[in-house]
Amino acid sequence: MVKPQVAGAVTANARVDRTSAIELVDVAKEYTVHGEVVHAVKGVSLDIAEGEFFSLLGPSGCGKTTTMRMIAGFEDPTRGVVRLYGQDVTDVPPNRRDVNMVFQSYALFPHMNVWENVAFGLKRRKVAAQEIKTRVGEILEVVGLTGREKRRPREMSGGQQQRVALARALVNRPRALLLDEPLGALDLKLRHTMQIELKRIQREVGITFVYVTHDQSEALTMSDRIAVMNDGVVEQLAGPREIYEQPATAFVAGFIGTSNLINGTVSAVDGAHAVLSLGSDDRILIPSGSAPGQGEAAVITVRPEKITIARQRRDQEVSQVRGTVSEVVYLGTYNSYVVTLDGGAEVTVFEQNAMDGTSTAERGDSVWLSWRPQHSYALRGA
Amino acid sequence: MRRVRAALAPYLLALPGGLWLAVFLVVPIATMASVALQTGNLMDGFSQTFNIAIFGEVFAQYHTQFLRSIVYGGIATVIMLVVAYPMAYWIAFKAGRRKSVYLFLILLPFFVSFVLRTISWGFLLADDGIVLAPLRDLGLIPDDFHILATTTAVIGGLVYNFLPFMVLPIYVALERVDPRVIEAAQDLYAGRFQAFVRVVLPLSLPGVFAGVLMTFIPATSDPVNAQILGGTSNTMIGNIIYTEYLVNNDYPAASALSFMLMAVLLIGIFVYARALGTENVMEAAAR
Ligand SMILES: Nc1ncnc2c1ncn2[C@@H]1O[C@H](COP(=O)(O)OP(=O)(O)OP(=O)(O)O)[C@@H](O)[C@H]1O
Ligand SMILES: [Mg+2]
């Protein structure tokens, strides 16, 4: 169960400066394992702008890491082109690409202390000793590790190691930073602190972040844009609000939080709305722009928190369906209901908790669910 | 009662190991020291005379062989290191799914007895053996060309026999290096060579350290290779100890030599560990 967190997210497409930082053109990667071809990434095209916080979101094994590794240069794409700042780098080795990667497992150098780890990249680029000193000092300050310079990685907590990994990449001032589930190993509280920290650093330093995660609330709260991946392809590429409110496919709808899917047939199309009929009094209104034609089958999604649960039918131009409450779960600030529609579909409804803590309906009650037409989305590819 | 038992627990737990050490290490060393300090011969019997001078006497007599053993052992160890590191590296990083096959091949010679293997080399390298005889008949090598009974043969034998003890620890150390860490080095602008020198090599040093110990000690004290592949001018200290003990039955001299060999090796190991302690070397690499 995931609470919607889009409210605070920035719809920042407009803010982003449109210089292209990272560009993937129909990039694919195949591995051969025991003579069998594995299609890890099946033709991904992305155009990530300079200064953007861009997330790759998707379930385990969908190709996020592989995509990232092709940007960093650790994997040669089977086909396609990788460009950094307009320059084709498909055949350029990782040490000559101006991007840095923060590994999922941190990959700190175990035989070097914090200072040596962070200074590694600058030394390789023959930066003057005095400048190395200032820059390493500065970045350790930023990640809050001043005074821990002499520690070895194994003498630090997971969160501290993570910050060393971050500092080691940031100190080089790369034009883009690739982060592969950098918060994966942290507990919830530290994870939240680091999310805010990362966002702050990104804003302050102003570099492009490509962020891999399989945590959808993390992606929704932090990103300017999100590419939702599934099985080696990008299912949807949009801002967090759009991904959440208007999932383009059934997969995206299902993956991003709890979502209700309802099947029906379009019975009428008038000026503004198409009508999906389920039963005698039930009808679902869909904005006609996104609706299929009359007589066609359709699948619509609606978010649990957009639905109002009531004892009576409302006399308004809204979607209205009838069902029976089959489950009530008290979840702190809100109640969650599972309502079985007369047609058999199960719909989840979140209801903000009333002041007195009572719930609108109990198990077994017959209820009406209603929501506004603009909260129904007809899915493509469903 | 419980407090007493808790206080005794560590000692009780250490008891089996302690007994083992006492029986198999302390007793033999003490016996060896005691035998070294006896005088006499097999006919009249030996008596404890605390003749400290024996150490000086045997060293004066056999210092050539002592020195030769250390030099042969040292050269063989260096050669093994140079040969074994690339082998271990290749198996760890490049052999892919056939790793276990190559490891098995490295261990394969162990399925034949050490002495037998060395004797086979003796046959192969003999002046009229299957390698040199045809070459000489074809006029490809001069008539007075020998391999057997030379320094080369002895050191070659040591390298051949102890190589796996160098390969395996280095392999284990390299195998434990996280490939992501190497990638991180490359990501941070290190080319292949820098990534190797700054990251892979320092992280594999514990394996190198173990490999050197595991080969230098047995190679230095080994009597078999010098006996079978060497000539009269290649005798090592192991052969002397062997002869003194089993041929001359001079038990005090053999014990004194063994004792000194052990002491030299222990001091050597100590100095080596101090000078080349992996911590020091790693710090140098991080610079
Ligand atoms: N070196 C490889 N050899 C063979 N198959 C691979 C290799 N690397 C990845 N794959 C396969 O490619 C697919 C995508 O893997 P990838 O690591 O990109 O997933 P991911 O999205 O990062 O997953 P996770 O969230 O679990 O990290 C998986 O099916 C995986 O098994
Ligand atoms: Mg991954």
Side-chain angles (χ1 to χ4, degrees), chain A residues 9-82:
Chain A
V10 200
T11 339
N13 296 15
R15 201 197 65 192
V16 168
D17 157 9
R18 285 312 312 181
T19 312
S20 169
I22 298 167
E23 209 181 333
L24 302 185
V25 186
D26 192 29
V27 167
K29 179 71 191 179
E30 291 163 12
Y31 295 105
T32 310
V33 184
H34 303 286
E36 208 179 301
V37 179
V38 177
H39 299 270
V41 174
K42 302 174 186 170
V44 163
S45 297
L46 300 171
D47 185 353
I48 301 170
E50 181 163 41
E52 190 172 16
F53 196 119
F54 189 95
S55 290
L56 288 173
L57 175 64
S60 187
C62 70
K64 305 182 296 291
T65 298
T66 308
T67 305
M68 193 82 122
R69 290 171 60 79
M70 290 190 287
I71 299 174
F74 298 125
E75 305 283 355
D76 292 327
T78 313
R79 84 179 131 81
V81 177
V82 180

Side-chain angles (χ1 to χ4, degrees), chain A residues 113-303:
Chain A
N113 64 28
V114 170
W115 203 92
E116 290 159 349
N117 262 283
V118 175
F120 189 91
L122 296 178
K123 283 180 190 166
R124 297 294 82 73
R125 291 210 291 190
K126 308 248 182 320
V127 174
Q130 194 50 48
E131 192 185 341
I132 293 181
K133 213 168 179 178
T134 358
R135 279 169 72 171
V136 173
E138 275 169 16
I139 204 74
L140 287 178
E141 182 98 46
V142 171
V143 298
L145 285 174
T146 310
R148 301 228 158 73
E149 290 84 356
K150 292 272 173 284
R151 297 261 190 108
R152 288 279 174 88
R154 64 166 174 276
E155 296 159 352
M156 292 193 296
S157 75
Q160 291 169 334
Q161 291 182 34
Q162 201 261 319
R163 284 180 277 162
V164 177
L166 207 59
R168 185 176 71 172
L170 282 171
V171 76
N172 304 297
R173 300 183 188 148
R175 302 180 81 171
L177 192 61
L178 311 174
L179 303 103
D180 191 359
E181 301 198 33
L183 309 182
L186 308 184
D187 68 49
L188 214 63
K189 190 157 173 280
L190 189 54
R191 202 181 163 101
H192 204 77
T193 320
M194 285 309 303
Q195 286 174 358
I196 296 167
E197 194 80 340
L198 275 179
K199 192 69 199 176
R200 181 181 64 80
I201 292 171
Q202 193 255 344
R203 228 182 350 246
E204 279 176 11
V205 190
I207 54 181
T208 313
F209 269 38
V210 184
Y211 194 90
V212 164
T213 180
H214 61 239
D215 178 340
Q216 47 101 1
S217 68
E218 193 169 280
L220 289 173
T221 48
M222 297 173 76
S223 318
D224 294 323
R225 283 195 304 156
I226 300 170
V228 182
M229 288 186 73
N230 180 35
D231 197 19
V233 297
V234 173
E235 295 253 338
Q236 187 173 11
L237 200 172
R241 185 176 292 274
E242 190 181 337
I243 296 263
Y244 189 78
E245 308 261 338
Q246 301 169 36
T249 65
F251 172 82
V252 176
F255 189 74
I256 307 289
T258 312
S259 198
N260 296 301
L261 299 182
I262 303 171
N263 287 286
T265 312
V266 176
S267 63
V269 183
D270 67 32
H273 303 136
V275 181
L276 195 70
S277 294
L278 302 179
S280 51
D281 288 336
D282 295 352
R283 65 203 176 101
I284 292 169
L285 303 179
I286 315 166
S288 54
S290 71
Q294 187 161 351
E296 281 180 55
V299 181
I300 67 108
T301 72
V302 55
R303 292 285 172 192

